[in-house]
Structure formats: structure tokens, C-alpha cells
Amino acid sequence: MALLAISASPRKGGNSEQVLNSFVGGASTAGRETEIIRLNGLNFRPCQACGLCAATGKCVLKDDMQFIYPKLLSCEGLVISTPIFFGTIPAQLKMFIDRFQCWWYAKFKLKKPFIPNEGKKYAFFISVGALKKKEHYQCAQDVVEVFFHVANFQRKGSLLFRGYDEKGSITREPQNLQKAFQAGIDFVTSLHQR
Ligand SMILES: Cc1cc2nc3c(=O)[nH]c(=O)nc-3n(C[C@H](O)[C@H](O)[C@H](O)COP(=O)(O)O)c2cc1C
């Protein structure tokens, strides 16, 4: 699969998901296989800090995350789209990210590279919030950046949509979805040019 898309909002068809759908639409138009995963629809627990992954690089919790790890390994590119909640990412996305502590052990302690001889893969970050100040989006971007680093992704680009609160308000300016659509095309095209 070329593009794995993670939708972090609990609001189905909300602003960040609409932008993500456009991004993925662009990728599909460019002829690439895509898959969207809604985190809110998954059944998974937060990291329990049990430390068992320190020896193996693998998480022992048996839940939907076990289907997600292989998808992250096999995708060519990754896009995460998230709303801003209380100045950062929503709990669903934080829970998802924390479950990659096993990869942190694998990469930095056990020195088991997950993507041998391939180097880093590309990722894209999208966020949508009600507030207008750019600094307000920095915390979310920083957290996701740490995740990209641990999971061996290099951020290729990002889109911030500021000042959108009520559901569907993102479509107020049609150029928002057009921008995301074009970014999706450009992103998957860049995957080929590596
Ligand atoms: C629990 C909660 C907390 C929020 N906190 C913030 C915030 O700190 N900053 C902000 O700009 N918007 C905040 N918002 C507004 C959302 O980011 C905004 O409505 C966004 O468009 C939601 O995207 P979605 O439709 O994809 O869920 C919050 C919304 C909720 C439900």
C-alpha cells in the first residue's frame, strides 16, 4: 500500500477528516493505493508502561494495534490528520503514538532497525483548530514529530488550517480542500522520486 492515512478526530466527517479525505483523494487520483484508518473506531488500550517490549521491541497488548504495526511497516508514505484539543493532539492520537514505545526500544536500545537498507520514509502532517494563532499548533506538531522520528518517517510537509470550529466549516473556503487534494498528489508523486 502506498499511502496510509490516520484520522485522529472522534468527529466522523469533521474538519480534519474532510481535509484528509481530500488529501487521500489526490493520492488516489495520482494512481496510488490508499487506506484510511479512523483511530476512534479502533479497539485499543493506552501503553501500560509494563516494560516488556524492552526485551523484544514488540508490544504484548493484544488489541487492534497489532493490525496497525504491520501497516506502518509496509506503507510507502504516511499522513496524519488531527484536530487540536486543548492545545495539543486528541487522546486517541496520543494513545496511538504511545503504543510505539516498543519501536523506540527496538530502534534505540535493541538497535533493530525496522526498515533495513531503506532509510526513512516520508510523512505528512495536517492539523485543524478553532484558534488562529500559529504558535497554538506547535505542541501538536512537536509531539507528532517525535513519533515520526521514532517510527522512521521524515516529515515532507504539513498543512495547518486555523480558525475552523464547527463541523464542516473547513469547506467555507473551497481552496482548503483543493489545497489538501493537491498536497496529496504532490506527496505521493514525491514518494516515486526518492
Ligand atoms: C475537547 C476539545 C478541545 C478543543 N481544544 C481546542 C484548542 O485547544 N485549540 C483550538 O484551536 N481548537 C480546539 N478545539 C476545536 C477543534 O480543534 C475544532 O473544532 C476542529 O475543527 C475540530 O476538528 P474535527 O472536526 O476534525 O474534529 C477543541 C475541540 C474539542 C472538542
Side-chain angles (χ1 to χ4, degrees):
M1 183 230 319
L3 179 69
L4 182 65
I6 303 287
S7 178
S9 176
R11 192 152 70 166
K12 215 170 187 173
N15 294 323
S16 60
E17 202 161 281
Q18 288 209 42
V19 174
L20 184 66
N21 288 341
S22 293
F23 187 96
V24 169
S28 304
T29 299
R32 311 308 305 279
E33 200 187 328
T34 61
E35 180 176 358
I36 301 179
I37 293 173
R38 295 193 74 251
L39 295 184
N40 204 50
L42 298 181
N43 182 11
F44 69 109
R45 296 168 67 200
C47 172
Q48 300 298 300
C50 65
L52 292 173
C53 61
T56 62
K58 296 207 164 115
C59 181
V60 296
L61 296 180
K62 299 285 173 261
D63 57 22
D64 286 352
M65 280 304 292
Q66 297 304 338
F67 305 110
I68 305 299
Y69 294 126
K71 289 182 191 290
L72 261 101
L73 286 176
S74 63
C75 70
E76 285 176 51
L78 174 71
V79 54
I80 295 180
S81 186
T82 183
I84 303 295
F85 280 8
F86 281 83
T88 186
I89 56 175
Q92 288 86 344
L93 181 55
K94 186 63 167 65
M95 222 163 91
F96 169 84
I97 287 176
D98 287 354
R99 287 291 297 276
F100 285 84
Q101 177 68 353
C102 49
W103 284 26
W104 182 85
Y105 273 118
K107 185 173 176 177
F108 296 108
K109 295 289 178 190
L110 303 172
K111 313 277 186 206
K112 283 188 196 162
F114 279 109
I115 310 161
N117 308 319
E118 235 188 84
K120 287 193 173 182
K121 299 194 282 188
Y122 284 143
F124 200 95
F125 177 66
I126 300 170
S127 57
V128 183
L131 299 186
K132 293 243 166 104
K133 271 193 172 172
K134 207 173 177 185
E135 307 87 271
H136 193 65
Y137 295 72
Q138 195 57 48
C139 176
Q141 185 150 324
D142 288 348
V143 173
V144 171
E145 199 72 29
V146 175
F147 165 69
F148 284 157
H149 178 59
V150 169
N152 251 356
F153 287 92
Q154 182 188 332
R155 187 167 52 81
K156 183 81 179 159
S158 61
L159 285 174
L160 307 188
F161 295 96
R162 297 176 276 143
Y164 300 96
D165 200 0
E166 67 278 14
K167 190 174 176 181
S169 57
I170 196 78
T171 57
R172 222 169 34 217
E173 284 91 26
Q175 67 269 25
N176 287 337
L177 299 188
Q178 284 159 15
K179 214 193 250 183
F181 187 86
Q182 187 59 48
I185 296 176
D186 296 344
F187 181 72
V188 292
T189 306
S190 76
L191 299 178
H192 266 320
Q193 290 163 350
R194 296 190 71 211

